[in-house]
PDB file of all heavy atoms in Angstrom:
ATOM      1  N   SER A1182      -2.155  20.305   7.213  1.00 36.00           N
ATOM      2  CA  SER A1182      -1.936  20.700   5.820  1.00 36.00           C
ATOM      3  C   SER A1182      -2.594  19.702   4.863  1.00 36.00           C
ATOM      4  O   SER A1182      -2.212  19.674   3.698  1.00 36.00           O
ATOM      5  CB  SER A1182      -0.458  20.824   5.537  1.00 36.00           C
ATOM      6  OG  SER A1182       0.189  19.578   5.786  1.00 36.00           O
ATOM      7  N   VAL A1183      -3.539  18.950   5.310  1.00 42.00           N
ATOM      8  CA  VAL A1183      -4.238  18.028   4.435  1.00 42.00           C
ATOM      9  C   VAL A1183      -4.863  18.815   3.281  1.00 42.00           C
ATOM     10  O   VAL A1183      -5.449  19.870   3.478  1.00 42.00           O
ATOM     11  CB  VAL A1183      -5.340  17.260   5.226  1.00 42.00           C
ATOM     12  CG1 VAL A1183      -6.247  16.531   4.270  1.00 42.00           C
ATOM     13  CG2 VAL A1183      -4.683  16.279   6.178  1.00 42.00           C
ATOM     14  N   PHE A1184      -4.700  18.277   2.090  1.00 41.00           N
ATOM     15  CA  PHE A1184      -5.198  18.881   0.852  1.00 41.00           C
ATOM     16  C   PHE A1184      -4.575  20.251   0.563  1.00 41.00           C
ATOM     17  O   PHE A1184      -5.164  21.102  -0.028  1.00 41.00           O
ATOM     18  CB  PHE A1184      -6.738  19.010   0.879  1.00 41.00           C
ATOM     19  CG  PHE A1184      -7.434  17.723   1.145  1.00 41.00           C
ATOM     20  CD1 PHE A1184      -8.413  17.624   2.096  1.00 41.00           C
ATOM     21  CD2 PHE A1184      -7.062  16.577   0.483  1.00 41.00           C
ATOM     22  CE1 PHE A1184      -9.052  16.437   2.361  1.00 41.00           C
ATOM     23  CE2 PHE A1184      -7.675  15.365   0.725  1.00 41.00           C
ATOM     24  CZ  PHE A1184      -8.672  15.281   1.680  1.00 41.00           C
ATOM     25  N   CYS A1185      -3.333  20.412   1.013  1.00 38.00           N
ATOM     26  CA  CYS A1185      -2.583  21.627   0.720  1.00 38.00           C
ATOM     27  C   CYS A1185      -1.249  21.243   0.131  1.00 38.00           C
ATOM     28  O   CYS A1185      -0.390  20.746   0.853  1.00 38.00           O
ATOM     29  CB  CYS A1185      -2.395  22.475   1.987  1.00 38.00           C
ATOM     30  SG  CYS A1185      -1.440  23.943   1.698  1.00 38.00           S
ATOM     31  N   VAL A1186      -1.071  21.413  -1.178  1.00 39.00           N
ATOM     32  CA  VAL A1186       0.156  20.998  -1.858  1.00 39.00           C
ATOM     33  C   VAL A1186       0.855  22.216  -2.385  1.00 39.00           C
ATOM     34  O   VAL A1186       0.278  23.070  -3.032  1.00 39.00           O
ATOM     35  CB  VAL A1186      -0.189  20.029  -3.031  1.00 39.00           C
ATOM     36  CG1 VAL A1186       1.099  19.468  -3.613  1.00 39.00           C
ATOM     37  CG2 VAL A1186      -1.106  18.940  -2.553  1.00 39.00           C
ATOM     38  N   THR A1187       2.149  22.329  -2.125  1.00 38.00           N
ATOM     39  CA  THR A1187       2.898  23.469  -2.628  1.00 38.00           C
ATOM     40  C   THR A1187       3.093  23.331  -4.128  1.00 38.00           C
ATOM     41  O   THR A1187       3.277  22.248  -4.670  1.00 38.00           O
ATOM     42  CB  THR A1187       4.281  23.556  -1.965  1.00 38.00           C
ATOM     43  OG1 THR A1187       4.962  22.307  -2.158  1.00 38.00           O
ATOM     44  CG2 THR A1187       4.124  23.797  -0.463  1.00 38.00           C
ATOM     45  N   SER A1188       3.075  24.429  -4.844  1.00 37.00           N
ATOM     46  CA  SER A1188       3.118  24.410  -6.302  1.00 37.00           C
ATOM     47  C   SER A1188       4.412  23.880  -6.847  1.00 37.00           C
ATOM     48  O   SER A1188       4.450  23.384  -7.993  1.00 37.00           O
ATOM     49  CB  SER A1188       2.868  25.822  -6.823  1.00 37.00           C
ATOM     50  OG  SER A1188       3.875  26.711  -6.350  1.00 37.00           O
ATOM     51  N   ASP A1189       5.509  23.897  -6.067  1.00 39.00           N
ATOM     52  CA  ASP A1189       6.769  23.414  -6.573  1.00 39.00           C
ATOM     53  C   ASP A1189       6.921  21.916  -6.469  1.00 39.00           C
ATOM     54  O   ASP A1189       7.957  21.351  -6.798  1.00 39.00           O
ATOM     55  CB  ASP A1189       7.953  24.123  -5.896  1.00 39.00           C
ATOM     56  CG  ASP A1189       8.006  23.866  -4.403  1.00 39.00           C
ATOM     57  OD1 ASP A1189       7.122  23.142  -3.905  1.00 39.00           O
ATOM     58  OD2 ASP A1189       8.939  24.370  -3.751  1.00 39.00           O
ATOM     59  N   SER A1190       5.902  21.229  -5.967  1.00 52.00           N
ATOM     60  CA  SER A1190       5.960  19.777  -5.838  1.00 52.00           C
ATOM     61  C   SER A1190       5.909  19.087  -7.177  1.00 52.00           C
ATOM     62  O   SER A1190       6.308  17.950  -7.316  1.00 52.00           O
ATOM     63  CB  SER A1190       4.801  19.242  -4.969  1.00 52.00           C
ATOM     64  OG  SER A1190       3.585  19.406  -5.677  1.00 52.00           O
ATOM     65  N   GLY A1191       5.400  19.771  -8.206  1.00 61.00           N
ATOM     66  CA  GLY A1191       5.260  19.143  -9.515  1.00 61.00           C
ATOM     67  C   GLY A1191       3.958  18.420  -9.661  1.00 61.00           C
ATOM     68  O   GLY A1191       3.618  17.939 -10.746  1.00 61.00           O
ATOM     69  N   TYR A1192       3.193  18.277  -8.606  1.00 78.00           N
ATOM     70  CA  TYR A1192       1.942  17.514  -8.642  1.00 78.00           C
ATOM     71  C   TYR A1192       0.805  18.357  -8.054  1.00 78.00           C
ATOM     72  O   TYR A1192      -0.130  17.833  -7.440  1.00 78.00           O
ATOM     73  CB  TYR A1192       2.101  16.199  -7.908  1.00 78.00           C
ATOM     74  CG  TYR A1192       3.135  15.325  -8.570  1.00 78.00           C
ATOM     75  CD1 TYR A1192       4.400  15.248  -8.023  1.00 78.00           C
ATOM     76  CD2 TYR A1192       2.871  14.668  -9.739  1.00 78.00           C
ATOM     77  CE1 TYR A1192       5.405  14.508  -8.629  1.00 78.00           C
ATOM     78  CE2 TYR A1192       3.853  13.915 -10.361  1.00 78.00           C
ATOM     79  CZ  TYR A1192       5.108  13.836  -9.823  1.00 78.00           C
ATOM     80  OH  TYR A1192       6.081  13.106 -10.419  1.00 78.00           O
ATOM     81  N   TYR A1193       0.880  19.651  -8.263  1.00 79.00           N
ATOM     82  CA  TYR A1193      -0.216  20.518  -7.784  1.00 79.00           C
ATOM     83  C   TYR A1193      -1.501  20.079  -8.458  1.00 79.00           C
ATOM     84  O   TYR A1193      -1.570  19.929  -9.665  1.00 79.00           O
ATOM     85  CB  TYR A1193       0.094  21.987  -8.132  1.00 79.00           C
ATOM     86  CG  TYR A1193      -0.927  22.936  -7.571  1.00 79.00           C
ATOM     87  CD1 TYR A1193      -0.909  23.258  -6.221  1.00 79.00           C
ATOM     88  CD2 TYR A1193      -1.909  23.488  -8.401  1.00 79.00           C
ATOM     89  CE1 TYR A1193      -1.831  24.127  -5.688  1.00 79.00           C
ATOM     90  CE2 TYR A1193      -2.850  24.377  -7.863  1.00 79.00           C
ATOM     91  CZ  TYR A1193      -2.797  24.683  -6.520  1.00 79.00           C
ATOM     92  OH  TYR A1193      -3.720  25.545  -5.984  1.00 79.00           O
ATOM     93  N   GLY A1194      -2.484  19.857  -7.704  1.00 92.00           N
ATOM     94  CA  GLY A1194      -3.771  19.397  -8.240  1.00 92.00           C
ATOM     95  C   GLY A1194      -4.096  17.985  -7.834  1.00 92.00           C
ATOM     96  O   GLY A1194      -5.262  17.588  -7.889  1.00 92.00           O
ATOM     97  N   TYR A1195      -3.071  17.218  -7.409  1.00 95.00           N
ATOM     98  CA  TYR A1195      -3.381  15.845  -6.981  1.00 95.00           C
ATOM     99  C   TYR A1195      -4.319  15.866  -5.798  1.00 95.00           C
ATOM    100  O   TYR A1195      -5.285  15.067  -5.757  1.00 95.00           O
ATOM    101  CB  TYR A1195      -2.090  15.115  -6.604  1.00 95.00           C
ATOM    102  CG  TYR A1195      -2.292  13.640  -6.269  1.00 95.00           C
ATOM    103  CD1 TYR A1195      -2.066  12.666  -7.230  1.00 95.00           C
ATOM    104  CD2 TYR A1195      -2.733  13.235  -5.007  1.00 95.00           C
ATOM    105  CE1 TYR A1195      -2.264  11.327  -6.951  1.00 95.00           C
ATOM    106  CE2 TYR A1195      -2.948  11.889  -4.712  1.00 95.00           C
ATOM    107  CZ  TYR A1195      -2.694  10.949  -5.669  1.00 95.00           C
ATOM    108  OH  TYR A1195      -2.935   9.626  -5.394  1.00 95.00           O
ATOM    109  N   SER A1196      -4.083  16.741  -4.851  1.00 92.00           N
ATOM    110  CA  SER A1196      -4.941  16.777  -3.668  1.00 92.00           C
ATOM    111  C   SER A1196      -6.351  17.155  -4.012  1.00 92.00           C
ATOM    112  O   SER A1196      -7.331  16.636  -3.447  1.00 92.00           O
ATOM    113  CB  SER A1196      -4.374  17.727  -2.626  1.00 92.00           C
ATOM    114  OG  SER A1196      -4.265  19.031  -3.153  1.00 92.00           O
ATOM    115  N   GLN A1197      -6.493  18.087  -4.981  1.00 92.00           N
ATOM    116  CA  GLN A1197      -7.834  18.478  -5.415  1.00 92.00           C
ATOM    117  C   GLN A1197      -8.527  17.291  -6.104  1.00 92.00           C
ATOM    118  O   GLN A1197      -9.716  17.066  -5.894  1.00 92.00           O
ATOM    119  CB  GLN A1197      -7.760  19.682  -6.379  1.00 92.00           C
ATOM    120  CG  GLN A1197      -7.469  21.006  -5.676  1.00 92.00           C
ATOM    121  CD  GLN A1197      -6.019  21.184  -5.301  1.00 92.00           C
ATOM    122  OE1 GLN A1197      -5.171  20.373  -5.676  1.00 92.00           O
ATOM    123  NE2 GLN A1197      -5.727  22.237  -4.551  1.00 92.00           N
ATOM    124  N   CYS A1198      -7.759  16.572  -6.896  1.00 94.00           N
ATOM    125  CA  CYS A1198      -8.291  15.371  -7.525  1.00 94.00           C
ATOM    126  C   CYS A1198      -8.774  14.383  -6.485  1.00 94.00           C
ATOM    127  O   CYS A1198      -9.900  13.856  -6.549  1.00 94.00           O
ATOM    128  CB  CYS A1198      -7.243  14.728  -8.431  1.00 94.00           C
ATOM    129  SG  CYS A1198      -7.717  13.146  -9.166  1.00 94.00           S
ATOM    130  N   PHE A1199      -7.915  14.145  -5.478  1.00 95.00           N
ATOM    131  CA  PHE A1199      -8.252  13.159  -4.441  1.00 95.00           C
ATOM    132  C   PHE A1199      -9.488  13.600  -3.665  1.00 95.00           C
ATOM    133  O   PHE A1199     -10.396  12.799  -3.434  1.00 95.00           O
ATOM    134  CB  PHE A1199      -7.056  13.003  -3.511  1.00 95.00           C
ATOM    135  CG  PHE A1199      -7.250  11.906  -2.486  1.00 95.00           C
ATOM    136  CD1 PHE A1199      -7.050  10.581  -2.816  1.00 95.00           C
ATOM    137  CD2 PHE A1199      -7.602  12.217  -1.174  1.00 95.00           C
ATOM    138  CE1 PHE A1199      -7.194   9.579  -1.901  1.00 95.00           C
ATOM    139  CE2 PHE A1199      -7.773  11.209  -0.235  1.00 95.00           C
ATOM    140  CZ  PHE A1199      -7.576   9.896  -0.609  1.00 95.00           C
ATOM    141  N   SER A1200      -9.530  14.858  -3.283  1.00 92.00           N
ATOM    142  CA  SER A1200     -10.681  15.329  -2.470  1.00 92.00           C
ATOM    143  C   SER A1200     -11.967  15.300  -3.257  1.00 92.00           C
ATOM    144  O   SER A1200     -13.059  15.166  -2.671  1.00 92.00           O
ATOM    145  CB  SER A1200     -10.399  16.742  -1.952  1.00 92.00           C
ATOM    146  OG  SER A1200     -10.253  17.654  -3.010  1.00 92.00           O
ATOM    147  N   SER A1201     -11.901  15.414  -4.597  1.00 92.00           N
ATOM    148  CA  SER A1201     -13.118  15.399  -5.412  1.00 92.00           C
ATOM    149  C   SER A1201     -13.843  14.062  -5.380  1.00 92.00           C
ATOM    150  O   SER A1201     -15.021  13.974  -5.691  1.00 92.00           O
ATOM    151  CB  SER A1201     -12.778  15.752  -6.862  1.00 92.00           C
ATOM    152  OG  SER A1201     -12.070  14.709  -7.489  1.00 92.00           O
ATOM    153  N   TYR A1202     -13.115  13.001  -4.979  1.00 90.00           N
ATOM    154  CA  TYR A1202     -13.706  11.678  -4.914  1.00 90.00           C
ATOM    155  C   TYR A1202     -14.360  11.394  -3.569  1.00 90.00           C
ATOM    156  O   TYR A1202     -15.035  10.388  -3.413  1.00 90.00           O
ATOM    157  CB  TYR A1202     -12.665  10.599  -5.191  1.00 90.00           C
ATOM    158  CG  TYR A1202     -12.293  10.411  -6.620  1.00 90.00           C
ATOM    159  CD1 TYR A1202     -11.284  11.168  -7.204  1.00 90.00           C
ATOM    160  CD2 TYR A1202     -12.953   9.483  -7.416  1.00 90.00           C
ATOM    161  CE1 TYR A1202     -10.944  11.014  -8.538  1.00 90.00           C
ATOM    162  CE2 TYR A1202     -12.619   9.327  -8.746  1.00 90.00           C
ATOM    163  CZ  TYR A1202     -11.618  10.080  -9.319  1.00 90.00           C
ATOM    164  OH  TYR A1202     -11.292   9.907 -10.623  1.00 90.00           O
ATOM    165  N   LEU A1203     -14.110  12.284  -2.594  1.00 88.00           N
ATOM    166  CA  LEU A1203     -14.571  12.003  -1.236  1.00 88.00           C
ATOM    167  C   LEU A1203     -16.008  12.526  -1.033  1.00 88.00           C
ATOM    168  O   LEU A1203     -16.385  13.541  -1.598  1.00 88.00           O
ATOM    169  CB  LEU A1203     -13.626  12.638  -0.221  1.00 88.00           C
ATOM    170  CG  LEU A1203     -12.160  12.245  -0.351  1.00 88.00           C
ATOM    171  CD1 LEU A1203     -11.336  12.895   0.749  1.00 88.00           C
ATOM    172  CD2 LEU A1203     -11.999  10.723  -0.315  1.00 88.00           C
ATOM    173  N   HIS A1204     -16.699  11.856  -0.179  1.00 80.00           N
ATOM    174  CA  HIS A1204     -18.093  12.225   0.133  1.00 80.00           C
ATOM    175  C   HIS A1204     -18.239  12.337   1.646  1.00 80.00           C
ATOM    176  O   HIS A1204     -18.411  11.336   2.344  1.00 80.00           O
ATOM    177  CB  HIS A1204     -19.064  11.163  -0.428  1.00 80.00           C
ATOM    178  CG  HIS A1204     -18.887  10.897  -1.890  1.00 80.00           C
ATOM    179  ND1 HIS A1204     -19.346  11.762  -2.867  1.00 80.00           N
ATOM    180  CD2 HIS A1204     -18.261   9.895  -2.555  1.00 80.00           C
ATOM    181  CE1 HIS A1204     -19.058  11.293  -4.054  1.00 80.00           C
ATOM    182  NE2 HIS A1204     -18.387  10.156  -3.913  1.00 80.00           N
ATOM    183  N   PRO A1205     -18.144  13.551   2.142  1.00 75.00           N
ATOM    184  CA  PRO A1205     -18.183  13.770   3.607  1.00 75.00           C
ATOM    185  C   PRO A1205     -19.409  13.182   4.300  1.00 75.00           C
ATOM    186  O   PRO A1205     -19.384  12.888   5.507  1.00 75.00           O
ATOM    187  CB  PRO A1205     -18.161  15.296   3.745  1.00 75.00           C
ATOM    188  CG  PRO A1205     -17.536  15.768   2.451  1.00 75.00           C
ATOM    189  CD  PRO A1205     -18.014  14.811   1.404  1.00 75.00           C
ATOM    190  N   SER A1206     -20.487  13.008   3.569  1.00 72.00           N
ATOM    191  CA  SER A1206     -21.719  12.496   4.183  1.00 72.00           C
ATOM    192  C   SER A1206     -21.694  11.008   4.421  1.00 72.00           C
ATOM    193  O   SER A1206     -22.556  10.446   5.091  1.00 72.00           O
ATOM    194  CB  SER A1206     -22.906  12.845   3.292  1.00 72.00           C
ATOM    195  OG  SER A1206     -22.783  12.208   2.010  1.00 72.00           O
ATOM    196  N   LYS A1207     -20.683  10.321   3.861  1.00 76.00           N
ATOM    197  CA  LYS A1207     -20.612   8.882   4.024  1.00 76.00           C
ATOM    198  C   LYS A1207     -20.363   8.505   5.497  1.00 76.00           C
ATOM    199  O   LYS A1207     -19.654   9.227   6.217  1.00 76.00           O
ATOM    200  CB  LYS A1207     -19.502   8.287   3.151  1.00 76.00           C
ATOM    201  CG  LYS A1207     -19.755   8.440   1.645  1.00 76.00           C
ATOM    202  CD  LYS A1207     -20.909   7.579   1.182  1.00 76.00           C
ATOM    203  CE  LYS A1207     -21.059   7.668  -0.324  1.00 76.00           C
ATOM    204  NZ  LYS A1207     -22.191   6.852  -0.810  1.00 76.00           N
ATOM    205  N   PRO A1208     -20.890   7.321   5.941  1.00 81.00           N
ATOM    206  CA  PRO A1208     -20.787   6.958   7.376  1.00 81.00           C
ATOM    207  C   PRO A1208     -19.449   6.329   7.746  1.00 81.00           C
ATOM    208  O   PRO A1208     -19.396   5.312   8.392  1.00 81.00           O
ATOM    209  CB  PRO A1208     -21.913   5.954   7.508  1.00 81.00           C
ATOM    210  CG  PRO A1208     -22.018   5.311   6.181  1.00 81.00           C
ATOM    211  CD  PRO A1208     -21.703   6.398   5.167  1.00 81.00           C
ATOM    212  N   PHE A1209     -18.350   6.930   7.308  1.00 84.00           N
ATOM    213  CA  PHE A1209     -17.023   6.452   7.734  1.00 84.00           C
ATOM    214  C   PHE A1209     -16.103   7.668   7.717  1.00 84.00           C
ATOM    215  O   PHE A1209     -16.365   8.651   7.027  1.00 84.00           O
ATOM    216  CB  PHE A1209     -16.502   5.351   6.833  1.00 84.00           C
ATOM    217  CG  PHE A1209     -16.713   5.555   5.362  1.00 84.00           C
ATOM    218  CD1 PHE A1209     -15.871   6.446   4.639  1.00 84.00           C
ATOM    219  CD2 PHE A1209     -17.737   4.903   4.673  1.00 84.00           C
ATOM    220  CE1 PHE A1209     -16.071   6.627   3.274  1.00 84.00           C
ATOM    221  CE2 PHE A1209     -17.949   5.119   3.327  1.00 84.00           C
ATOM    222  CZ  PHE A1209     -17.098   5.962   2.625  1.00 84.00           C
ATOM    223  N   PRO A1210     -15.045   7.605   8.490  1.00 89.00           N
ATOM    224  CA  PRO A1210     -14.118   8.783   8.600  1.00 89.00           C
ATOM    225  C   PRO A1210     -13.483   9.120   7.253  1.00 89.00           C
ATOM    226  O   PRO A1210     -13.338   8.293   6.375  1.00 89.00           O
ATOM    227  CB  PRO A1210     -13.075   8.343   9.630  1.00 89.00           C
ATOM    228  CG  PRO A1210     -13.675   7.144  10.302  1.00 89.00           C
ATOM    229  CD  PRO A1210     -14.583   6.499   9.324  1.00 89.00           C
ATOM    230  N   SER A1211     -13.080  10.379   7.125  1.00 90.00           N
ATOM    231  CA  SER A1211     -12.314  10.803   5.961  1.00 90.00           C
ATOM    232  C   SER A1211     -10.918  10.195   6.066  1.00 90.00           C
ATOM    233  O   SER A1211     -10.406   9.946   7.157  1.00 90.00           O
ATOM    234  CB  SER A1211     -12.216  12.324   5.897  1.00 90.00           C
ATOM    235  OG  SER A1211     -13.502  12.889   5.702  1.00 90.00           O
ATOM    236  N   PRO A1212     -10.247   9.978   4.925  1.00 95.00           N
ATOM    237  CA  PRO A1212      -8.898   9.414   4.996  1.00 95.00           C
ATOM    238  C   PRO A1212      -7.908  10.431   5.514  1.00 95.00           C
ATOM    239  O   PRO A1212      -8.150  11.663   5.484  1.00 95.00           O
ATOM    240  CB  PRO A1212      -8.624   9.091   3.506  1.00 95.00           C
ATOM    241  CG  PRO A1212      -9.438  10.100   2.755  1.00 95.00           C
ATOM    242  CD  PRO A1212     -10.681  10.269   3.567  1.00 95.00           C
ATOM    243  N   VAL A1213      -6.789   9.963   5.997  1.00 95.00           N
ATOM    244  CA  VAL A1213      -5.656  10.856   6.292  1.00 95.00           C
ATOM    245  C   VAL A1213      -4.881  11.014   4.989  1.00 95.00           C
ATOM    246  O   VAL A1213      -4.475  10.014   4.355  1.00 95.00           O
ATOM    247  CB  VAL A1213      -4.762  10.256   7.374  1.00 95.00           C
ATOM    248  CG1 VAL A1213      -3.545  11.137   7.602  1.00 95.00           C
ATOM    249  CG2 VAL A1213      -5.551  10.111   8.682  1.00 95.00           C
ATOM    250  N   PHE A1214      -4.674  12.252   4.579  1.00 95.00           N
ATOM    251  CA  PHE A1214      -3.943  12.551   3.335  1.00 95.00           C
ATOM    252  C   PHE A1214      -2.792  13.487   3.697  1.00 95.00           C
ATOM    253  O   PHE A1214      -3.014  14.587   4.172  1.00 95.00           O
ATOM    254  CB  PHE A1214      -4.894  13.197   2.322  1.00 95.00           C
ATOM    255  CG  PHE A1214      -4.244  13.528   1.006  1.00 95.00           C
ATOM    256  CD1 PHE A1214      -4.365  12.673  -0.067  1.00 95.00           C
ATOM    257  CD2 PHE A1214      -3.534  14.700   0.837  1.00 95.00           C
ATOM    258  CE1 PHE A1214      -3.768  12.964  -1.285  1.00 95.00           C
ATOM    259  CE2 PHE A1214      -2.927  15.021  -0.360  1.00 95.00           C
ATOM    260  CZ  PHE A1214      -3.039  14.125  -1.437  1.00 95.00           C
ATOM    261  N   LEU A1215      -1.567  13.052   3.498  1.00 96.00           N
ATOM    262  CA  LEU A1215      -0.408  13.793   3.944  1.00 96.00           C
ATOM    263  C   LEU A1215       0.501  14.159   2.774  1.00 96.00           C
ATOM    264  O   LEU A1215       0.832  13.313   1.960  1.00 96.00           O
ATOM    265  CB  LEU A1215       0.395  12.971   4.941  1.00 96.00           C
ATOM    266  CG  LEU A1215      -0.376  12.525   6.225  1.00 96.00           C
ATOM    267  CD1 LEU A1215       0.480  11.543   7.030  1.00 96.00           C
ATOM    268  CD2 LEU A1215      -0.764  13.703   7.065  1.00 96.00           C
ATOM    269  N   THR A1216       0.900  15.408   2.730  1.00 94.00           N
ATOM    270  CA  THR A1216       1.875  15.877   1.776  1.00 94.00           C
ATOM    271  C   THR A1216       3.228  15.924   2.472  1.00 94.00           C
ATOM    272  O   THR A1216       3.308  15.779   3.714  1.00 94.00           O
ATOM    273  CB  THR A1216       1.539  17.261   1.250  1.00 94.00           C
ATOM    274  OG1 THR A1216       1.808  18.229   2.283  1.00 94.00           O
ATOM    275  CG2 THR A1216       0.066  17.355   0.841  1.00 94.00           C
ATOM    276  N   LYS A1217       4.285  16.184   1.721  1.00 92.00           N
ATOM    277  CA  LYS A1217       5.614  16.296   2.328  1.00 92.00           C
ATOM    278  C   LYS A1217       5.702  17.491   3.275  1.00 92.00           C
ATOM    279  O   LYS A1217       6.604  17.556   4.126  1.00 92.00           O
ATOM    280  CB  LYS A1217       6.690  16.400   1.229  1.00 92.00           C
ATOM    281  CG  LYS A1217       6.907  15.097   0.485  1.00 92.00           C
ATOM    282  CD  LYS A1217       8.011  15.259  -0.588  1.00 92.00           C
ATOM    283  CE  LYS A1217       8.278  13.940  -1.256  1.00 92.00           C
ATOM    284  NZ  LYS A1217       9.312  14.043  -2.330  1.00 92.00           N
ATOM    285  N   ASP A1218       4.771  18.420   3.144  1.00 91.00           N
ATOM    286  CA  ASP A1218       4.765  19.581   4.030  1.00 91.00           C
ATOM    287  C   ASP A1218       4.026  19.299   5.342  1.00 91.00           C
ATOM    288  O   ASP A1218       4.116  20.107   6.263  1.00 91.00           O
ATOM    289  CB  ASP A1218       4.037  20.764   3.358  1.00 91.00           C
ATOM    290  CG  ASP A1218       4.695  21.149   2.034  1.00 91.00           C
ATOM    291  OD1 ASP A1218       5.931  20.966   1.933  1.00 91.00           O
ATOM    292  OD2 ASP A1218       3.986  21.596   1.118  1.00 91.00           O
ATOM    293  N   SER A1219       3.300  18.197   5.412  1.00 92.00           N
ATOM    294  CA  SER A1219       2.470  17.927   6.569  1.00 92.00           C
ATOM    295  C   SER A1219       3.332  17.600   7.790  1.00 92.00           C
ATOM    296  O   SER A1219       4.347  16.905   7.714  1.00 92.00           O
ATOM    297  CB  SER A1219       1.537  16.749   6.302  1.00 92.00           C
ATOM    298  OG  SER A1219       0.719  16.988   5.173  1.00 92.00           O
ATOM    299  N   HIS A1220       2.899  18.100   8.956  1.00 92.00           N
ATOM    300  CA  HIS A1220       3.631  17.850  10.203  1.00 92.00           C
ATOM    301  C   HIS A1220       3.716  16.344  10.509  1.00 92.00           C
ATOM    302  O   HIS A1220       4.698  15.891  11.116  1.00 92.00           O
ATOM    303  CB  HIS A1220       2.977  18.601  11.382  1.00 92.00           C
ATOM    304  CG  HIS A1220       2.980  20.066  11.213  1.00 92.00           C
ATOM    305  ND1 HIS A1220       4.147  20.801  11.091  1.00 92.00           N
ATOM    306  CD2 HIS A1220       1.966  20.981  11.171  1.00 92.00           C
ATOM    307  CE1 HIS A1220       3.855  22.089  10.966  1.00 92.00           C
ATOM    308  NE2 HIS A1220       2.530  22.227  11.022  1.00 92.00           N
TER     309      HIS A1220
END
């Protein structure tokens, strides 16, 4: 459920903000990003 935030969290959009800063082409792994819904 990375980058999947339920709307009742009060912070819908944080994950989109965070993902907008990431660059998949960079030579290092993507971060682990966990919401309260994540397993």
Side-chain angles (χ1 to χ4, degrees):
S1182 58
V1183 168
F1184 305 132
C1185 178
V1186 188
T1187 55
S1188 59
D1189 62 359
S1190 70
Y1192 299 100
Y1193 185 76
Y1195 186 98
S1196 59
Q1197 285 79 7
C1198 174
F1199 186 79
S1200 62
S1201 71
Y1202 282 89
L1203 306 182
H1204 305 284
S1206 61
K1207 295 292 184 180
F1209 44 78
S1211 296
V1213 175
F1214 181 97
L1215 302 171
T1216 74
K1217 288 181 177 178
D1218 302 329
S1219 304
H1220 297 301

